[in-house]
Amino acid sequence: MNYIFSAIIPVLICVIIVYGVSKKLPVFNTFVDGAKEGIETSFNLIPTLICIIFAISMLRASGFFQLISSALYPVTSFLHIPSEVIPLALMRPFSGSGSIAVVNDIITSCGADSIAAVTACVMCGSTETTFYAIAVYYGSVDIKKTRHTVLSAVIGDIAAVIGAIFFSQLFF
């Protein structure tokens, strides 16, 4: 079975090359042009990504997420929501690596079998790095107006956070 999965990518590459040659396309030149465009896109995205990483690092280092978590503690305790997952819910739409660090902190401090750790893992798996993805995808094609994308994505993230909390408590 592993042989099949190992062969999929090389077979796909060969199919693309054969298709290009059969259509009399300059396959190598097309590949090089695509690689050049990819590098240009990467360089265009670097300032946006640096800004996002810098902002998240500053918020995390300043204790902002802990402050919000502490402020929401009366509400989260009333609703039986682990307050440890609030920083994750706030961080996840912005940074994948930052949210993984938060999950690691939750697992280390609360234990892998705690409701906070289970909720954090479900939340991390069911939400998206919304603003990072929007910055990368829209920035790569120079779209300035995101229209309804941000609102729809944030609503989806909120639904995923609520669902993660609900189902973690239901099945824990």
Side-chain angles (χ1 to χ4, degrees):
M1 187 58 116
N2 287 336
Y3 297 114
I4 294 172
F5 293 123
S6 299
I8 288 175
I9 298 296
V11 167
L12 184 62
I13 291 171
C14 289
V15 167
I16 291 170
I17 291 171
V18 167
Y19 178 78
V21 169
S22 70
K23 294 290 186 178
K24 297 184 181 179
L25 297 172
V27 176
F28 183 74
N29 292 337
T30 304
F31 174 76
V32 170
D33 291 341
K36 285 179 187 175
E37 287 180 24
I39 290 172
E40 289 173 9
T41 300
S42 298
F43 282 124
N44 291 337
L45 289 175
I46 287 174
T48 304
L49 297 179
I50 289 173
C51 288
I52 289 174
I53 292 168
F54 179 76
I56 291 299
S57 298
M58 292 301 292
L59 287 172
R60 189 163 185 226
S62 71
F64 174 77
F65 294 122
Q66 296 302 327
L67 179 68
I68 295 294
S69 182
S70 298
L72 293 176
Y73 181 75
V75 175
T76 58
S77 66
F78 177 75
L79 296 174
H80 302 291
I81 299 170
S83 62
E84 296 87 0
V85 299
I86 299 301
L88 175 63
L90 296 171
M91 171 101 51
R92 183 69 178 160
F94 296 97
S95 171
S97 58
S99 61
I100 294 297
V102 172
V103 171
N104 187 35
D105 291 345
I106 291 170
I107 291 172
T108 302
S109 64
C110 299
D113 293 331
S114 66
I115 185 69
V118 170
T119 304
C121 290
V122 173
M123 190 180 297
C124 198
S126 61
T127 56
E128 178 58 59
T129 54
T130 302
F131 295 106
Y132 175 82
I134 290 171
V136 169
Y137 295 135
Y138 281 80
S140 67
V141 290
D142 292 327
I143 295 175
K144 303 293 183 211
K145 295 182 181 176
T146 59
R147 294 188 38 123
H148 307 294
T149 305
V150 173
L151 179 62
S152 301
V154 168
I155 290 171
D157 280 337
I158 291 169
V161 166
I162 292 169
I165 292 167
F166 175 77
F167 287 109
S168 295
Q169 289 181 357
L170 182 66
F171 293 112
F172 186 72

